[in-house]
Amino acid sequence: MRVLDEYEPEEVTKSMTSAKCIRRVLEEFPDVMPAELPEDLPPRRRVDHAIEVMPGHDVGVTFLVLLGGYVWVKLFNSLTKRQILGQKLSRKIVHITSGLLFALCWPFFSVSPWARYLAALVPASNGVRLLVYGLGILKDDGLVKSLSREGDPRELLRGPLYYVVVLVFCTILFWRDSPTSIIALAMMCAGDGIADIVGRRFGSKKLLYNSDKSWAGSIAMFLFGFIVSLGCLWYFSFMGFYPFDLEAMGLQLAAVALAATLVESLPITNRLDDNLTVPLTTIILGLFLFPVKSTMTPLP
């Protein structure tokens, strides 16, 4: 526009249309526009130029996400109490959906450096709740039944607590800056969750090295974890965080899903919980295969 200002108003309005004027400027200054547009997003700068959000925006989003998560878990508690859903199925549906729904809310937070810590309060508060009920300080039979295998409150201090610890860890350490956190949560929530459901229903043929795991469950984990991870990456790309290139990242994502599936299938569940080994494996391998960081500033 600065170049256009150098032309006389009469020359612009009388001798050419605006389109012709722009064309003339581009022909006169060919370095203004590259011959081909870059395929990747521009790198993130040291200073992000963004419109400041209204005070309290992130607090409001945190409250809404926290309320939504509480209602979501209470819903399955109610369904379990009414025997509409079985205890095991209810627990696995909560396992699959809760972490993913939480991560899908990340783009609604602002660019404030404190946003990730406010978001982390959501799983952290659930962790406190698990401690309170797991230690027997308060009692909630519906909560225990929907989140435990055998109905023992102390089970809340193992798998479910590890689950929220991983959510807090990924939120604070990686946030929206790396796709690694999204892939780790997708494999832990969707991949590991569906493996148990499919394995119990169709898992008659067991793995040679682990009689507690089945071929059906492992295959389901790999496929579902891969597909959900891909969908989450597309979603964050659509929201303006990561470049999405299926051809470039498909093989890498498959390698991560395969590694997480292999670790989940190992006979080490009695010593190490899947809610720790699956995301940890995904993060370690993902940091090597997906070094790309977020390249765009999200909507304020």
Side-chain angles (χ1 to χ4, degrees):
M1 296 303 297
R2 183 178 182 86
V3 177
L4 292 176
D5 290 340
E6 296 179 4
Y7 291 91
E8 295 295 331
E10 295 81 2
E11 180 183 357
V12 175
T13 57
K14 294 181 182 180
S15 62
M16 60 181 66
T17 63
S18 59
K20 291 182 178 179
C21 178
I22 294 174
R23 182 176 180 179
R24 175 179 171 182
V25 171
L26 293 178
E27 290 177 349
E28 186 174 352
F29 302 96
D31 295 333
V32 172
M33 291 290 290
E36 295 182 0
L37 294 177
E39 296 182 358
D40 297 329
L41 299 173
R44 193 166 187 173
R45 305 302 181 185
R46 184 178 297 275
V47 178
D48 287 328
H49 298 281
I51 301 174
E52 294 294 333
V53 298
M54 295 179 61
H57 170 85
D58 290 326
V59 175
V61 175
T62 301
F63 174 77
L64 291 176
V65 176
L66 184 61
L67 178 62
Y70 176 78
V71 171
W72 187 250
V73 174
K74 292 295 288 185
L75 171 63
F76 285 95
N77 291 351
S78 177
L79 294 176
T80 303
K81 286 182 179 180
R82 297 178 183 181
Q83 297 182 346
I84 297 175
L85 285 178
Q87 177 184 341
K88 292 179 180 178
L89 180 59
S90 175
R91 179 175 61 88
K92 278 304 173 182
I93 293 177
V94 171
H95 177 100
I96 293 171
T97 57
S98 296
L100 289 177
L101 290 175
F102 167 64
L104 294 181
C105 291
W106 289 358
F108 300 107
F109 287 85
S110 74
V111 297
S112 168
W114 294 101
R116 69 178 68 199
Y117 301 103
L118 286 172
L121 288 177
V122 175
S125 64
N126 287 324
V128 172
R129 189 156 66 107
L130 291 174
L131 287 172
V132 169
Y133 290 106
L135 294 173
I137 300 174
L138 295 177
K139 294 185 178 181
D140 187 336
D141 292 337
L143 176 67
V144 174
K145 288 182 179 179
S146 64
L147 296 180
S148 64
R149 295 177 182 269
E150 306 297 336
D152 185 353
R154 290 174 296 180
E155 290 185 53
L156 303 184
L157 303 178
R158 296 192 289 271
L161 185 60
Y162 301 152
Y163 183 93
V164 297
V165 168
V166 170
L167 290 178
V168 172
F169 176 82
C170 288
T171 304
I172 294 178
L173 188 61
F174 295 104
W175 191 221
R176 301 169 301 204
D177 298 331
S178 170
T180 300
S181 60
I182 306 303
I183 301 171
L185 295 183
M187 291 305 303
M188 179 185 72
C189 299
D192 184 41
I194 201 67
D196 185 71
I197 295 176
V198 174
R200 290 180 184 275
R201 188 174 181 84
F202 305 103
S204 58
K205 191 172 183 179
K206 304 299 183 179
L207 298 176
L208 296 176
Y209 54 89
N210 188 356
S211 60
D212 293 329
K213 304 290 184 178
S214 66
W215 281 102
S218 294
I219 293 173
M221 176 176 177
F222 171 78
L223 293 177
F224 200 65
F226 175 82
I227 293 172
V228 173
S229 296
L230 201 62
C232 289
L233 290 178
W234 175 87
Y235 169 76
F236 274 82
S237 175
F238 177 79
M239 297 298 286
F241 290 93
Y242 316 126
F244 182 80
D245 187 345
L246 178 58
E247 184 178 352
M249 68 175 55
L251 187 59
Q252 296 171 328
L253 188 57
V256 173
L258 180 61
T261 301
L262 290 174
V263 169
E264 191 272 345
S265 70
L266 296 176
I268 57 175
T269 305
N270 294 333
R271 298 188 299 273
L272 295 173
D273 194 276
D274 292 339
N275 287 340
L276 292 177
T277 58
V278 169
L280 182 60
T281 301
T282 305
I283 289 172
I284 292 174
L285 188 56
L287 288 175
F288 287 99
L289 298 180
F290 295 92
V292 180
K293 292 187 176 181
S294 175
T295 53
M296 289 189 67
T297 301
L299 293 176

